[in-house]
Amino acid sequence: SLGLLVRLDDEEEIDGLVSGGLDWSGTTHPSRDDIRVRMAVSNKDRERFRMAMTADGDSQDEAVSGSLGLALFAEADEKFDGRVSGGLDWSDALEASMTVSNRNREKLHMAMTADGNSRFRERDGSLGLLVRLDDEEEIDGLVSGGLDWSGTTHPSRDDIRVRMAVSNKDRERFRMAMTADGDSQDE
């Protein structure tokens, strides 16, 4: 803590105190936030500003996750008490998520998935996106498709096949399939 007292012409102008702390002992205790920071500012024994922050994270194999928390108080009134958390996992398909909340209410949530396969002359995959604003689902979409050119080596199949589908909230919005076949001879 740090204190300051200022008097001008025998009148007290500033009688302030700044205090705070930093705790990283949670890095060795899995049940606690990794890092905690706090700070308070007061003048004439009245709190003017207070801030608290937490940071926590974890990493396992091919996945990481973490969160940041922040609380702000001015003149003893809570102004903000928010948290940002998210994760990333690429152990099977790619999955990413992020959530922003304030006063324990979800304000924004985004989740994304990507998956695909590759075989000889074929490719297929999908992308998914989920977005919620103020706990209302706005987008829950999926784009999937594939490309197959293995027919270029099999005369009984189409040379090229392409497919794509787009859906939102489990309802198909668009589907497309295309084939291409050709043959060339001397003249």
Side-chain angles (χ1 to χ4, degrees):
S1 65
L2 172 68
L4 177 65
L5 173 63
V6 176
R7 286 191 183 137
L8 294 174
D9 293 327
D10 247 357
E11 290 197 26
E12 194 172 276
E13 298 294 327
I14 297 174
D15 182 7
L17 179 67
V18 176
S19 61
L22 171 65
D23 179 359
W24 62 89
S25 63
T27 57
T28 59
H29 298 291
S31 62
R32 293 177 43 192
D33 289 322
D34 288 345
I35 299 172
R36 293 178 290 171
V37 178
R38 60 183 168 71
M39 183 180 87
V41 177
S42 60
N43 186 31
K44 298 180 182 175
D45 293 325
R46 186 168 171 213
E47 182 180 272
R48 300 296 183 174
F49 175 79
R50 182 167 29 119
M51 178 273 300
M53 188 210 70
T54 61
D56 195 21
D58 194 17
S59 145
Q60 295 175 345
D61 298 325
E62 295 175 332
V64 293
S65 63
S67 63
L68 294 172
L70 178 65
L72 298 175
F73 298 83
E75 302 290 335
D77 288 333
E78 183 179 73
K79 299 298 181 188
F80 180 80
D81 184 6
R83 188 164 206 76
V84 176
S85 60
L88 179 64
D89 184 347
W90 61 94
S91 58
D92 183 28
L94 176 64
E95 299 174 17
S97 64
M98 181 183 80
T99 304
V100 177
S101 59
N102 186 26
R103 296 183 175 132
N104 292 324
R105 287 196 59 221
E106 180 181 279
K107 295 298 186 179
L108 169 69
H109 174 78
M110 293 179 8
M112 189 267 316
T113 60
D115 194 12
N117 292 305
S118 172
R119 294 171 300 280
F120 185 55
R121 291 187 173 172
E122 295 179 49
R123 305 288 186 269
D124 61 49
S126 63
L127 294 171
L129 178 64
L130 172 69
V131 176
R132 285 191 309 252
L133 294 172
D134 287 326
D135 227 2
E136 294 287 326
E137 195 171 272
E138 301 294 331
I139 298 171
D140 184 4
L142 181 68
V143 176
S144 61
L147 171 65
D148 179 352
W149 66 94
S150 62
T152 57
T153 60
H154 299 310
S156 63
R157 293 176 55 189
D158 291 323
D159 288 346
I160 299 173
R161 292 178 290 172
V162 178
R163 61 183 166 73
M164 183 178 87
V166 177
S167 62
N168 188 33
K169 297 181 181 176
D170 292 325
R171 187 170 161 217
E172 185 173 275
R173 302 295 184 168
F174 175 78
R175 177 177 290 280
M176 182 269 303
M178 180 193 86
T179 61
D181 195 15
D183 195 9
S184 73
Q185 297 181 358
D186 292 339
E187 294 182 33

